């Protein structure tokens, strides 16, 4: 805690009155006449500096409450809070048992709430609990955060901006949450903890019964607590949308999307480069510069020219007007250019990564092509920093066509030598105005640059320009924009833009033919590196292209840094294909796009493989940045992931929808959605949010000859070529050739048996599993006899009570649940003398739905490729698993690991069956390893968190009603895998269900069961 003496040592004079109070990490000051407090603060948004007209302050707010953190009292200019003038509240506040409104302090910030799981709260040992609180104390100290609420099993922490690491308050809160979860995961066994982070209002209230200690409430604490209970995941940081939007340093970390799609999960092991990540690290030192009261900028022009055999000191600054290009002996080499950048604090290792420009391209732009230059900029007394200066001339060139309509010259497209174009900063793409990047040496004379460009590019001599062009000086504008970008790490760029209107006064001049005049026809020009540009004359009007460009420029995204045709592609995806969107988040322009990723797996000769990209060839260049990626494609905003998966496999592999239905299973249960944030490689400087829909698919019969086109069954590499069209770019589109290959999904030689489920996109049909994929035959329980009318083949002509469910109506007619037997199973499940045989007899007698697996017509018809009896055995296995894991302290562990003998007695590692030759030699070792290495306490914790177990005093008992519900769910959860039972959507008022229209049969077994439970629950 901070004592008054410590605060005086920090230069704060305290004159505490009896109505003033302070808390360990915050000081709350109520103003009284004549009181004066002198503090040193680096941020003083709410404080009046010395010399303020205090009478005016009093007029604005009769009673002013200030909050000054201890962190703000370091390294800053003196600040005086002077109280003067009288107010209605000038008398000291009386002590009362209830607080009035003036006692409530409101603020906005970000909070992280943590709480141990229910199981941990009752069982965690004191040693681990102490270590947890020490870890939290280290985190709070590291990030200079504040503990608002501290309890043995939960806590509330407020994060503050951390300027030294460029972290926002949301960054700090999320990082503290990560470190808490990381500690919990590293413990042996893991500690169950939930963490929630939200940014919003924080309000404090002095608590009369707590000696002046404040209590905290508001949106931030409340929502952070809620995130620890609603859709929470153990040892994952659960972020609200508000907290996510507040991220700065951590904004690019990948996040998983919660089921509500309104919150996000952050993995504790996900790292941010150069962030303070270890709770044992030293507290990063604060900037010592204090609050910037005024800014003085000193620029010094750099020269890279060095004489042969002699090199300037790395820090030398040489004024230069001649540029960097000179005699061969004075030409700056790449090595000396790199050394120069490093001498001015530029981290060279960041170039060429993610969206950053390659250092070779930057060298060409500065030294070879002279399209920009570097200045050293010193602000106040700070260390000089490098700054890139790019000078532009944007020209609106106008002429009238033969009909008298005013048109403007615009760049339609660019194509050519990609290698040369990669280093060119000239904007290219669809319908962009003429833009000239002034070379070094021209920066002070845009007219010279304009004349030179028309002479060299358009072949219009300077004399003809004077005769045919007219420029109105009063319509020209000049603008400077200074921004930082991911393209150039550690270097700020200043764009100096001259905006010029140029009118063609004589369109009939013979030399104007090179500009497509007087008819305003399209024409082409040759540029640097052999590139070809196509120009067009368009009617002068407000263009969407201009609006898009202005929007990008206004938010620091410089289209001059885009690769050729990138602007056209961005326009196309935003306005033509409409597969992405742009929106303003805070002050940053953000592009959002949806992506489908399909992981295709195949069992090839007993070994699981997956299909990945080996290389991609586009525009004559090999791009291996996507090597190892699965089948990936952009989605339209409203497209369902099932349809997108079909399209991706068709368009990226040539795997037709018909082939997919015959040879592929898409595991709908594997579908998940994550959100990844990055700066686009195609559109440098534009922050992009990728909503990634990922799903797994399995090749059913890898030996099928029709699959040779995708490298099966021999797992050979193959290529697929497609034409990537762009409706806004002239030509036939880019030819993209992708090389695909099958890679091992696991260690070589480790075989797998693939369990597959029916996808919602697959039509229900009979499938047959390859016998080579089957393991050794397992022991089976006897099938149930089907009694009464339901043992007969169902009558499709019968008139069932419910349309769309004829089979289910027929089979379940007259059947009832035997609740007495069901409750015996739920009640006696933990009794010592209640055997697995007795449990089996009770559950099979209780639930008539189990007999559905024995219907004659369903015996070979399931949606997952197994027989109906296979599904029955699996359902009984699920019911046995519930019985065994609830009895881990009795005989459940041995039963779960080693099974039962012929007399239904649990086996163990010493049973004779393991040496009778029926099992593989390593079978008993596998089972033994499973028994020894499984985290059984975690399974018990799962049952406790699910409410199946509860505490009655010091005794652990089970919840009979919840256990009964679990048995019911296990009995019915897979019955709709029987194809004849699948319902058809229809009935009174039912027009659609989960995407299935009236008259359509539901193919997904989970959706089918949901349909029955919602619309026809009495059938079960």
């Amino acid at each position: 805690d901070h004592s008054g003496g410590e605060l005086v040592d920090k230069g704060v004079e305290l004159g505490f009155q009896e109505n003033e109070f302070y808390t360990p990490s915050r000081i709350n000051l109520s103003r009284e006449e004549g009181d004066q407090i002198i503090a040193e603060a680096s941020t003083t948004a709410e404080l009046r500096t010395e010399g303020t007209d205090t009478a005016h302050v009093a007029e604005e707010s009769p009673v002013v409450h200030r909050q000054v953190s201890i962190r703000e009292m370091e390294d800053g200019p003196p600040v005086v809070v002077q109280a003067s003038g009288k107010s209605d509240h000038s008398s000291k506040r009386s002590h009362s048992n209830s607080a009035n409104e003036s006692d409530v302090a409101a603020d906005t910030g970000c909070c992280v709430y943590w709480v141990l799981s229910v199981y941990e709260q009752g069982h965690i040992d004191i040693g681990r609990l102490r270590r947890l609180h020490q870890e939290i104390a280290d985190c709070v100290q590291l990030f200079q955060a504040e503990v608002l609420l501290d309890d043995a099993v939960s806590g509330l922490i407020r994060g503050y901006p951390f300027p030294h690491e460029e972290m926002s308050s949301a960054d700090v809160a999320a990082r503290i949450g990560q470190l808490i979860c990381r500690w919990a995961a590293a413990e042996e066994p893991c500690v169950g903890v939930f963490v929630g982070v939200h940014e919003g209002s924080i309000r404090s209230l002095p608590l009369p019964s707590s000696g002046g200690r404040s209590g905290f409430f508001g949106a931030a604490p409340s929502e952070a607590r809620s995130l620890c209970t609603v859709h929470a995941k153990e040892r994952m940081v659960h972020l609200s949308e508000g907290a996510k939007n507040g991220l700065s340093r951590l904004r690019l970390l990948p996040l998983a999307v919660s089921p509500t799609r309104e919150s996000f999960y952050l993995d504790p092991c996900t790292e941010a480069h150069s962030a303070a990540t270890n709770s044992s690290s030293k507290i990063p030192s604060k900037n010592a510069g204090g609050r910037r009261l005024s800014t003085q900028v000193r620029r010094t022009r750099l020269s890279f020219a060095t004489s042969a055999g002699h090199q300037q000191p790395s820090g030398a600054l040489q004024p230069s007007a001649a540029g960097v290009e000179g005699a061969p002996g004075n030409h700056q080499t790449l090595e000396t250019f790199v050394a120069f950048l490093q001498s001015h604090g530029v981290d060279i290792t960041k170039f060429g990564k993610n969206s950053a420009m390659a250092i070779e391209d930057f060298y060409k732009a500065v030294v070879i092509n002279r399209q920009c230059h570097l200045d050293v900029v010193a602000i106040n007394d700070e260390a000089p920093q490098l700054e890139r200066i790019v000078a532009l001339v944007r020209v609106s060139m106008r002429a009238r066509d033969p009909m008298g309509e005013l048109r403007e010259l615009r760049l339609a497209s660019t194509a050519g030598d990609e290698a040369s174009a990669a280093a060119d900063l000239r904007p290219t793409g669809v319908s962009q105005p003429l833009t000239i990047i002034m070379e070094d040496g021209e920066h002070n004379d845009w007219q010279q640059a304009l004349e030179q460009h028309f002479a060299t590019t358009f072949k219009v001599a300077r004399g003809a320009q004077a005769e045919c062009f007219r420029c109105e000086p009063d319509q020209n504008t000049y603008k400077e924009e200074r921004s930082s970008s991911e393209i150039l790490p550690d270097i700020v760029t200043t764009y100096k833009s001259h905006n010029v209107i140029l009118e063609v006064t004589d369109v009939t001049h013979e030399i104007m033919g090179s500009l497509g005049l007087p008819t305003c026809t399209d024409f082409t020009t040759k540029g640097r590196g052999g590139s070809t540009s196509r120009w067009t004359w368009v009617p002068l009007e407000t263009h969407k292209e201009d609006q898009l460009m202005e929007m990008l420029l206004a938010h620091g995204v410089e289209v001059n840094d885009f690769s050729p045709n990138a602007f056209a592609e961005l326009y196309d995806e935003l306005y033509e294909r409409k597969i992405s969107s742009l929106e303003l988040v805070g002050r940053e322009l953000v592009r959002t796009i949806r992506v489908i990723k399909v992981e295709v797996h195949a069992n090839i000769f007993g070994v699981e493989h997956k299909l990945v990209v080996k290389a991609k060839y586009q525009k004559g260049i090999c791009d291996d940045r996507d090597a190892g990626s699965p089948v990936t494609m952009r989605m339209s905003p409203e497209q369902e992931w099932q349809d997108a998966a079909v399209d991706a496999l068709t368009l990226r592999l040539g795997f037709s929808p018909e082939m997919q239905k015959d040879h592929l299973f898409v595991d709908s249960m594997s579908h998940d959605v994550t959100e990844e944030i990055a700066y686009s490689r195609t559109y440098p400087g534009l922050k992009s949010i990728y909503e990634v829909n990922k799903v797994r698919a399995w090749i059913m019969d890898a030996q099928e000859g029709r699959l040779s086109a995708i490298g099966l069954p021999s797992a050979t590499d193959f290529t697929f070529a497609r034409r990537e069209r762009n409706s806004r770019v002239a030509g036939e589109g880019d030819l993209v050739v992708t090389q695909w290959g099958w890679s091992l999904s696991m260690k070589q030689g480790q075989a797998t048996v693939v369990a597959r489920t029916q996808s919602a996109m697959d039509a229900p049909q009979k499938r047959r599993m390859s016998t080579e994929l089957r393991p050794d035959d397992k022991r089976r329980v006897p099938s149930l006899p089907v009694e009464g009318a339901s043992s007969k083949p169902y009558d499709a002509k019968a008139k069932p009570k419910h349309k769309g469910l004829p089979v289910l109506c027929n089979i379940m007619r007259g059947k009832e649940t035997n609740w007495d037997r069901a409750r015996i199973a739920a009640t006696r499940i933990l009794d010592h003398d209640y055997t697995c045989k007795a449990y089996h007899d009770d559950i099979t007698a209780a639930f008539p739905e189990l007999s559905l697996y024995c219907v004659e017509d369903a015996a070979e018809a399931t949606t997952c490729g197994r027989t109906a009896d296979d599904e029955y055995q699996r359902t009984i296995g699920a019911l046995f698993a519930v019985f065994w894991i609830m009895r881990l302290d009795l005989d459940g562990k041995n039963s779960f690991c080693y099974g039962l003998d012929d007399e239904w007695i649990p086996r163990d590692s010493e049973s004779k069956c393991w040496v009778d030759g029926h099992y593989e030699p390593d079978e008993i070792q596998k089972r033994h390893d499973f028994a020894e290495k499984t985290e059984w306490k975690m399974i018990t914790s799962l049952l406790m968190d699910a409410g199946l177990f509860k505490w009655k005093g010091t005794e652990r008992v089970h919840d009979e009603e919840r256990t009964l519900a679990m048995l019911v769910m296990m009995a019915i959860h897979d019955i709709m895998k029987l194809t004849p039972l699948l319902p058809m959507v229809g009935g009174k008022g039912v027009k659609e269900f989960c995407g299935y229209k009236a008259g359509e049969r539901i193919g997904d077994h989970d959706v089918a069961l949901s349909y029955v439970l919602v619309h026809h629950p009495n059938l079960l």
Side-chain angles (χ1 to χ4, degrees):
D1 291 351
H2 300 290
S3 67
E6 285 181 282
L7 296 177
V8 171
D9 291 339
K10 289 180 175 292
V12 182
E13 297 179 6
L14 298 178
F16 279 101
Q17 305 296 327
E18 59 181 340
N19 65 317
E20 297 174 337
F21 60 92
Y22 72 97
T23 54
S25 295
R26 305 284 292 178
I27 302 175
N28 298 270
L29 305 175
S30 63
R31 196 182 70 178
E32 293 295 340
E33 183 178 3
D35 292 340
Q36 176 174 296
I37 296 168
I38 300 178
E40 292 202 289
S42 58
T43 57
T44 57
E46 293 190 8
L47 301 180
R48 301 290 190 265
T49 58
E50 196 168 63
T52 301
D53 183 353
T54 53
H56 179 65
V57 175
E59 291 175 3
E60 290 181 341
S61 177
V63 178
V64 182
H65 297 281
R66 302 293 182 221
Q67 292 189 339
V68 185
S69 72
I70 300 303
R71 299 181 301 106
E72 293 175 79
M73 298 181 180
E74 302 175 1
D75 305 322
V79 176
V80 177
V81 180
Q82 178 75 41
S84 64
K86 292 189 176 182
S87 69
D88 294 336
H89 302 278
S90 60
S91 61
K92 294 176 171 56
R93 288 175 300 188
S94 62
H95 294 281
S96 62
N97 293 327
S98 61
N100 55 41
E101 283 300 317
S102 65
D103 293 320
V104 179
D107 199 357
T108 299
C110 194
C111 288
V112 52
Y113 183 79
W114 65 270
V115 60
L116 294 180
S117 67
V118 176
Y119 176 79
E120 295 291 353
Q121 292 184 33
H123 294 81
I124 190 169
D125 62 78
I126 190 66
R128 293 218 291 176
L129 194 56
R130 283 198 182 102
R131 292 198 298 274
L132 170 60
H133 280 274
Q134 183 59 52
E135 177 72 14
I136 293 173
D138 290 345
C139 293
V140 170
Q141 182 185 23
L142 171 67
F143 291 104
Q144 301 179 19
E146 177 184 2
V147 176
L148 303 184
L149 172 67
D150 205 5
D151 189 83
V153 296
S154 64
L156 181 68
I157 303 168
R158 178 175 182 176
Y160 292 96
F162 201 49
H164 181 68
E165 290 290 327
E166 300 177 356
M167 298 175 74
S168 66
S169 58
D171 289 329
V172 170
R175 199 58 166 171
I176 290 174
Q178 278 191 300
L179 295 176
I180 293 173
C181 293
R182 190 178 303 177
W183 175 88
E187 285 289 296
E188 184 62 36
C190 298
V191 174
V193 65
F194 298 97
V195 174
V197 178
H198 180 64
E199 187 169 52
S201 64
I202 304 175
R203 307 181 72 189
S204 62
L205 177 71
L207 304 177
S209 61
S210 302
R213 182 177 62 84
S214 292
F216 295 89
F217 63 105
S222 174
E223 184 64 20
R225 285 189 182 95
S226 176
L227 291 168
C228 289
T229 57
V230 180
H231 295 292
K233 290 187 177 182
E234 280 194 356
R235 295 176 294 280
M236 292 282 280
V237 184
H238 196 182
L239 298 166
S240 69
E241 187 169 8
K244 169 185 166 291
N245 292 336
L247 294 178
S248 175
R249 185 61 180 271
L250 306 185
R251 69 189 184 281
L252 300 183
L253 295 186
L255 302 173
V257 183
S258 75
T260 65
R261 305 181 72 82
E262 296 177 352
S263 58
F264 306 84
Y265 303 114
L266 174 60
D267 190 285
C269 296
T270 304
E271 287 290 358
H273 297 297
S274 304
T277 58
N278 196 323
S279 62
S280 62
S281 304
K282 286 186 177 181
I283 300 176
S285 60
K286 292 176 63 62
N287 293 332
R291 188 167 65 106
R292 182 177 299 160
L293 300 178
S294 62
T295 302
Q296 295 180 352
V297 180
R298 185 182 73 255
R299 297 181 183 273
T300 306
R301 181 66 179 280
L302 299 183
S303 170
F304 302 109
T306 57
S307 301
H310 179 270
Q311 185 171 338
Q312 296 280 355
S314 61
L317 305 178
Q318 296 292 331
S320 170
V324 297
E325 201 168 20
N330 290 337
H331 195 84
Q332 178 81 353
T333 64
L334 176 61
E335 291 73 17
T336 52
F337 180 73
V338 168
F340 183 83
L341 294 179
Q342 291 174 324
S343 70
H344 286 83
V346 178
D347 187 355
I348 300 300
T349 61
K350 295 180 181 179
F351 282 80
K353 295 180 179 178
N354 300 322
S355 61
M357 181 186 296
I359 188 62
E360 294 82 4
D361 292 340
F362 187 40
Y363 167 75
K364 291 178 183 177
V366 176
V367 178
I368 305 300
N369 297 331
R370 301 171 59 196
Q371 294 175 318
C372 59
H373 74 266
L374 298 179
D375 281 357
V376 168
V377 179
I379 302 177
N380 290 340
D381 296 327
E382 294 181 2
Q385 295 180 340
L386 285 183
E387 183 172 300
R388 179 181 67 150
I389 307 298
V390 180
L392 308 170
V393 183
R394 292 193 171 95
V395 183
S396 175
M397 188 173 186
R398 303 171 181 181
R400 294 194 179 275
D401 63 14
M403 302 298 295
E405 184 178 6
L406 191 61
R407 293 178 176 266
E408 184 181 50
L409 182 65
R410 302 180 76 89
L411 178 63
S413 64
T414 297
D417 185 352
E418 183 71 15
S420 297
D424 193 350
L425 301 181
R426 189 167 277 103
T428 55
V430 58
S431 196
Q432 298 180 59
L434 169 60
T435 303
I436 303 168
I437 295 182
M438 300 165 64
E439 294 187 0
D440 193 22
E442 300 175 332
H443 292 176
N444 296 323
D445 193 346
W446 63 266
Q447 293 173 317
Q448 177 187 342
L450 184 62
E451 292 176 1
Q452 179 66 24
H453 185 81
F454 271 87
T456 56
T457 303
F458 298 121
K459 311 304 180 185
V460 179
R462 294 177 186 268
Q465 294 179 38
E467 295 179 27
C468 303
F469 299 157
R470 181 176 63 197
C471 180
E472 296 294 342
D474 57 341
Q475 296 182 4
N476 299 340
T477 60
Y478 173 77
K479 181 170 62 174
E480 285 194 14
E481 296 172 315
R482 191 170 186 264
S483 64
S484 58
S485 171
E486 298 287 328
I487 304 169
L488 287 179
D490 302 331
I491 299 177
V492 175
T493 299
T494 294
Y495 295 96
K496 300 181 177 182
S497 304
H498 298 268
N499 301 285
V500 178
I501 297 177
L502 193 66
E503 184 179 352
V504 181
T505 56
D506 186 1
V507 296
T508 60
H509 195 289
E510 58 181 359
I511 204 169
M512 291 294 101
S514 60
L515 294 174
L517 297 174
T519 56
C520 291
T521 56
D522 293 357
F523 63 96
T524 60
T525 58
K526 293 290 184 180
R528 181 183 285 115
S531 61
T532 301
S533 299
R534 186 173 67 87
W535 300 86
T536 185
W537 291 92
V538 299
L540 186 63
E541 58 185 15
T542 301
H543 300 280
K544 284 187 177 180
E545 295 90 338
D546 289 342
Q547 295 174 353
L548 175 59
M549 183 176 293
E550 290 174 2
M551 185 192 307
L552 295 172
L553 293 173
H555 294 90
V557 181
E558 183 52 63
V559 296
N560 300 297
D561 293 326
F562 284 11
S563 60
N565 291 328
F567 182 82
E569 293 168 2
L570 179 60
Y571 182 95
D572 180 67
E573 73 174 41
L574 286 170
Y575 300 114
E576 300 294 338
R577 291 185 290 163
K578 298 181 179 180
I579 59 174
S580 68
S581 62
L582 281 181
E583 60 180 340
L584 197 61
V585 179
R587 296 184 177 181
E588 190 170 19
L589 198 63
V590 177
R591 164 178 167 258
T592 302
I593 192 164
R594 301 177 69 210
V595 176
I596 182 71
K597 288 187 177 182
V598 184
E599 295 181 351
V600 181
H601 295 252
N603 192 288
I604 303 173
F605 303 119
V607 180
E608 184 181 336
H609 289 66
K610 62 180 179 181
L611 186 63
V612 297
V613 173
K614 291 293 186 71
K616 186 166 66 175
Y617 301 86
Q618 188 172 6
K619 299 178 181 178
I621 294 178
C622 176
D623 186 354
D624 59 359
R625 290 178 295 182
D626 293 326
S629 300
V631 179
T632 305
M633 193 180 75
R634 297 175 181 177
M635 302 169 57
S636 61
E638 304 301 326
Q639 190 175 22
E640 296 292 337
W641 70 263
Q642 295 94 334
D643 297 332
V646 173
D647 291 346
L649 294 170
T650 303
L651 299 176
R652 295 295 184 263
L653 298 178
F655 205 40
S656 67
E658 293 74 20
M659 291 279 286
Q660 293 178 42
K661 288 182 179 180
D662 291 341
H663 303 288
L664 195 73
F665 269 120
V666 177
D667 184 0
S668 59
M669 298 299 292
S670 69
H671 173 251
D672 68 352
V673 182
T674 59
E675 188 174 274
E676 300 174 3
I677 305 176
Y679 282 93
S680 171
R681 295 183 312 205
T682 307
Y683 316 119
L686 181 58
K687 184 178 179 180
S688 300
I689 296 178
Y690 300 91
E691 182 187 293
V692 182
N693 290 259
K694 185 183 294 184
V695 68
R696 287 191 295 272
W698 304 87
I699 300 292
M700 286 298 300
D701 38 11
Q703 308 299 320
E704 170 65 44
R706 296 174 64 192
L707 301 180
S708 59
I710 58 172
L712 296 175
S714 55
T716 55
D717 292 357
F718 64 95
T719 59
F720 182 77
R722 72 179 193 277
R723 183 73 67 178
E724 195 169 76
R725 299 185 180 277
N726 187 327
S727 61
R728 302 287 298 183
V729 178
E732 298 181 355
D734 294 330
L735 181 66
V736 181
V737 179
T738 306
Q739 181 183 358
W740 297 91
W742 293 93
S743 65
L744 291 174
S745 295
M746 56 183 68
K747 294 181 180 178
Q748 191 168 359
Q750 183 181 356
T752 181
V753 178
V754 181
R756 302 173 177 85
T757 58
Q758 176 75 5
S759 165
M761 71 176 65
D762 291 328
Q765 55 183 298
K766 180 177 176 181
R767 303 235 182 239
R768 182 168 52 86
M769 297 280 285
S770 173
T771 56
E772 289 79 10
L773 299 183
R774 281 190 177 276
D776 294 334
D777 289 339
K778 300 294 182 182
R779 304 171 72 209
R780 308 171 81 86
V781 296
S783 299
L784 284 178
V786 186
E787 301 174 356
S790 58
S791 62
K792 303 176 182 179
Y794 67 90
D795 184 4
K797 297 181 180 180
K799 294 183 178 180
K801 183 177 179 181
H802 300 284
K803 277 191 173 184
L805 293 160
V807 182
L808 192 61
C809 290
N810 188 34
I811 298 174
M812 297 302 293
R813 186 183 304 124
K815 297 291 183 72
E816 293 183 359
T817 301
N818 187 332
W819 288 111
D820 292 337
R821 297 293 291 270
R823 290 191 179 278
I824 289 174
T827 303
R828 298 197 59 199
I829 197 166
L830 294 185
D831 290 356
H832 286 264
D833 58 348
Y834 190 56
T835 65
C836 190
K837 178 65 167 65
Y839 170 77
H840 168 266
D841 294 344
D842 285 333
I843 58 176
T844 53
F847 302 117
E849 288 84 3
L850 294 175
S851 64
L852 292 171
Y853 294 104
C854 306
V855 177
E856 180 178 334
D857 294 69
E860 295 296 332
T862 68
T863 64
C864 60
R866 304 182 187 91
T867 66
D869 188 60
D870 284 344
E871 290 300 330
Y872 173 72
Q873 301 296 331
R874 287 164 57 84
T875 300
I876 295 298
L879 286 160
F880 280 3
V882 174
F883 180 78
W884 289 333
I885 65 175
M886 291 189 70
R887 297 170 59 94
L888 291 178
D889 294 340
L890 301 172
D891 54 6
K893 180 178 176 181
N894 278 344
S895 300
F896 196 92
C897 298
Y898 302 106
L900 307 173
D901 64 15
D902 293 337
E903 303 299 324
W904 294 75
I905 304 299
R907 299 185 298 196
D908 57 29
S909 59
E910 304 299 326
S911 298
K912 294 182 180 180
C913 63
W914 308 119
V915 295
D916 62 5
H918 179 71
Y919 295 96
E920 295 291 335
D922 60 346
E923 178 75 14
I924 181 58
Q925 186 61 45
K926 291 179 181 178
R927 293 172 180 262
H928 177 75
D929 289 345
F930 183 85
E932 294 298 320
K933 296 179 181 179
T934 297
E935 293 284 355
W936 299 105
K937 290 184 179 179
M938 295 298 296
I939 296 177
T940 302
S941 174
L942 174 66
L943 299 179
M944 183 69 72
D945 291 343
L948 293 170
F949 284 155
K950 60 184 179 180
W951 290 101
K952 187 176 182 179
T954 59
E955 181 184 6
R956 187 179 69 198
V957 298
H958 74 289
D959 187 313
E960 295 177 6
E961 286 299 312
R962 190 159 286 221
T963 301
L964 179 60
M966 186 71 175
L967 299 182
V968 170
M969 185 177 72
M970 288 296 98
I972 69 172
H973 77 282
D974 269 351
I975 58 174
M976 289 299 165
K977 287 184 178 179
L978 303 170
T979 304
L981 304 185
L982 291 173
M984 183 180 295
V985 177
K988 186 176 181 180
V990 182
K991 297 182 179 180
E992 182 183 8
F993 189 84
C994 294
Y996 291 90
K997 306 295 183 183
E1000 293 181 347
R1001 190 168 299 279
I1002 300 176
D1004 186 295
H1005 70 276
D1006 290 325
V1007 177
L1009 180 59
S1010 298
Y1011 176 80
V1012 173
L1013 293 176
V1014 170
H1015 292 292
H1016 307 289
N1018 58 315
L1019 291 183
L1020 298 178

